[in-house]
């Protein structure tokens, strides 16, 4: 293995808010940093270049880990590990690391995944209706062809925040009654017809539906909830947690969880009994409000438009043992998996 060969940036991959991530993650020589969403390796490459740290790159996507392994041929300080970031503490400890100094997460679908028609993420590219970030579990086709109309409507409304969710779910059920969905374009066309076409809309009518089904197929909110708890268990005192989210539901979850862990949820009413003191704060907020991308970055990289960065620092308080929940109360994906 070649030690610390130059890690040349991928010209086709633009990591979002890279400067801000490096600022708040603040990697130092000798530290152990986890990039829980390796993807195209943009953050990992920059982190490794900014200090002589060890970088553990985690991703559930086999293609992403293959990219990480190729990068690892140039530096022994990169440790690629296949798995879900919601299980990062188990994955990292199985690899021989008990605690780490930093965790960074870029939440959402990778541009590499969107750009591959065969992965079925985009309604703009004809391909199989898959949408899985990994290679196991039910596909998007399984969801739209097998879920009840009510469950489909709930998924599309809650995860996509689509106001016409019931109409779309009904159209999906009617369509599959004649012909099961197999491709991305079939689903996109059915949704477009259900809502009466584009009519000059700024975004494609299927955007929110595709987003919702993708998030459900990959249990993205559940995975994020588990990742927050895993990072709390894994970070040593003084360790930094940096999260970049693109979806309002994801950012809201991160914001509320960090505020709760930092004891910043606000005081009670003077008309109510004094609440008992809760557990000691496990994090301190590094920033009180979300950090937004610069105007220059948004102009040069449209994907950054909806990005919000939040950062916190681990205290010495013990991790709080509680069940991770996404708060959506949607039917578990395992129910569909059992039925297949």
């Amino acid at each position: 293995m070649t030690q610390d060969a130059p890690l040349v940036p991928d010209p086709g991959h633009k990591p979002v808010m890279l400067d801000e991530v490096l600022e708040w993650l603040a990697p130092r020589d000798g530290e152990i940093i986890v990039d829980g969403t390796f993807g195209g390796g943009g953050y990992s490459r920059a982190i490794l270049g900014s200090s002589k740290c060890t970088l553990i790159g985690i991703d559930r996507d086999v293609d992403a880990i293959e990219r990480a392994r190729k990068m690892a041929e140039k530096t022994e300080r990169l440790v690629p590990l296949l798995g879900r970031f919601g299980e990062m503490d188990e994955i990292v400890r199985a690899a021989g690391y008990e605690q780490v100094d930093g965790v960074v997460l870029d939440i959402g679908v990778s541009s590499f995944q969107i750009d591959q028609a065969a992965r079925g993420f985009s309604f703009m590219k004809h391909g199989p209706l898959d949408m899985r970030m990994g290679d196991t579990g039910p596909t998007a086709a399984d969801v739209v062809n097998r879920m009840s109309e009510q469950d489909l409507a709930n998924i599309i409304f809650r995860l996509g925040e689509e106001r016409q969710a019931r109409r779309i779910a009904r159209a999906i059920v009617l369509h599959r009654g004649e012909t099961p969905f197999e491709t991305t374009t079939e689903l996109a066309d059915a949704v477009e017809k259900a809502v009466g076409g584009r009519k000059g809309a700024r975004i494609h009518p299927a955007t929110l539906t595709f987003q919702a089904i993708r998030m459900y197929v990959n249990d993205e909110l559940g995975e994020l909830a588990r990742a927050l708890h895993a990072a709390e268990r894994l970070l040593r005192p003084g360790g930094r947690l940096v999260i970049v989210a693109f979806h309002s539901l994801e950012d809201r979850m991160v914001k509320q969880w960090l505020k709760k862990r930092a004891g910043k949820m606000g005081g009670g009413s003077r008309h109510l009994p004094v609440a008992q003191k809760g557990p000691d704060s496990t994090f301190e907020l590094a920033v009180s409000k979300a950090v937004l991308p610069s105007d220059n970055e948004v102009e040069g990289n449209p994907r950054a438009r909806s990005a919000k960065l939040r950062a916190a620092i681990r205290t010495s308080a013990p991790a709080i043992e509680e069940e991770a929940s996404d708060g959506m109360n949607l039917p578990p994906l395992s129910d569909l998996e059992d039925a297949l």
Side-chain angles (χ1 to χ4, degrees), residues 5-302:
L7 298 177
V8 180
D10 184 340
H13 177 57
K14 292 184 178 181
V16 171
M17 299 186 71
L18 180 57
D19 291 342
E20 292 86 350
V21 165
L22 291 176
E23 176 184 356
W24 295 107
L25 189 64
R28 306 180 184 98
D29 293 354
E31 291 190 330
I32 301 168
I33 307 295
V34 173
D35 180 351
T37 49
F38 183 86
Y43 288 161
S44 293
R45 186 180 288 106
I47 292 166
L48 287 166
S50 69
S51 68
K52 288 182 168 55
C53 63
T54 295
L55 192 288
I56 300 172
I58 298 174
D59 208 294
R60 66 166 113 174
D61 190 329
V62 175
D63 291 345
I65 291 301
E66 183 58 32
R67 287 191 290 271
R69 287 169 180 160
K70 289 181 179 178
M71 190 187 297
E73 294 173 359
K74 298 182 178 181
T75 174
E76 62 183 7
R77 294 188 288 114
L78 173 58
V79 182
L81 297 174
L82 179 65
R84 295 170 174 265
F85 62 73
E87 301 169 349
M88 75 175 85
D89 55 333
E90 299 174 15
I91 294 169
V92 169
R93 285 171 180 158
Y97 303 89
E98 281 301 310
Q99 288 188 303
V100 303
D101 301 283
V103 171
V104 59
L105 301 173
D106 176 353
I107 308 301
V109 65
S110 161
S111 57
F112 286 88
Q113 294 166 333
I114 292 175
D115 291 341
Q116 296 179 47
R119 301 298 296 272
F121 283 96
S122 175
F123 50 80
M124 301 296 291
K125 298 178 184 294
H126 178 78
L129 195 54
D130 193 317
M131 298 194 194
R132 294 175 298 175
M133 293 179 177
D135 56 3
T136 60
T139 66
D142 294 323
V143 171
V144 298
N145 287 323
R146 293 175 176 269
M147 299 288 290
S148 71
E149 182 178 333
Q150 182 62 53
D151 285 343
L152 278 173
N154 285 338
I155 289 168
I156 296 168
F157 178 73
R158 294 182 185 179
L159 296 181
E161 298 181 305
E162 169 60 76
R163 289 181 293 179
Q164 301 194 67
R166 290 184 180 179
R167 179 181 296 181
I168 293 169
R170 182 59 181 158
I172 288 173
V173 170
L174 289 173
H175 183 287
R176 77 189 189 191
E178 298 180 3
T179 306
F181 288 94
E182 294 182 354
T183 68
T184 52
T185 49
E186 287 173 346
L187 179 59
D189 290 346
V191 174
E192 185 171 350
K193 290 176 183 176
V195 299
R198 305 187 189 190
K199 295 181 180 177
R202 186 173 57 86
I203 63 173
H204 191 285
T207 300
L208 299 179
T209 298
F210 267 65
Q211 169 188 287
I213 294 172
R214 186 205 79 217
M215 293 179 72
Y216 181 74
V217 164
N218 296 289
D219 189 21
E220 293 181 35
L221 289 182
E223 196 68 20
L224 175 56
R226 291 187 288 274
L228 293 169
H229 288 74
E232 181 182 52
R233 295 189 292 267
L234 190 58
L235 284 165
R236 71 175 80 251
R240 287 82 62 197
L241 174 61
V242 178
I243 300 176
V244 178
F246 298 85
H247 189 284
S248 59
L249 293 175
E250 294 164 341
D251 178 63
R252 192 178 307 140
M253 177 185 290
V254 175
K255 173 185 176 181
Q256 293 177 348
W257 191 87
L258 287 178
K259 286 180 66 175
K260 180 179 178 183
R261 286 306 199 256
K264 302 292 185 181
M265 293 302 287
S269 167
R270 62 187 177 87
H271 301 292
L272 297 175
V274 177
Q276 292 185 340
K277 186 179 183 300
D280 291 338
S281 299
T282 55
F283 281 94
E284 294 177 0
L285 300 182
V287 289
S288 59
K289 295 182 179 180
V291 179
L292 304 179
S294 67
D295 292 339
N296 286 339
E297 179 171 8
V298 172
E299 183 177 351
N301 185 7

Side-chain angles (χ1 to χ4, degrees), residues 295-313:
D295 292 339
N296 286 339
E297 179 171 8
V298 172
E299 183 177 351
N301 185 7
R303 181 172 179 260
R305 184 176 57 250
S306 59
K308 291 184 178 181
L309 180 151
R310 297 187 187 274
I313 301 170

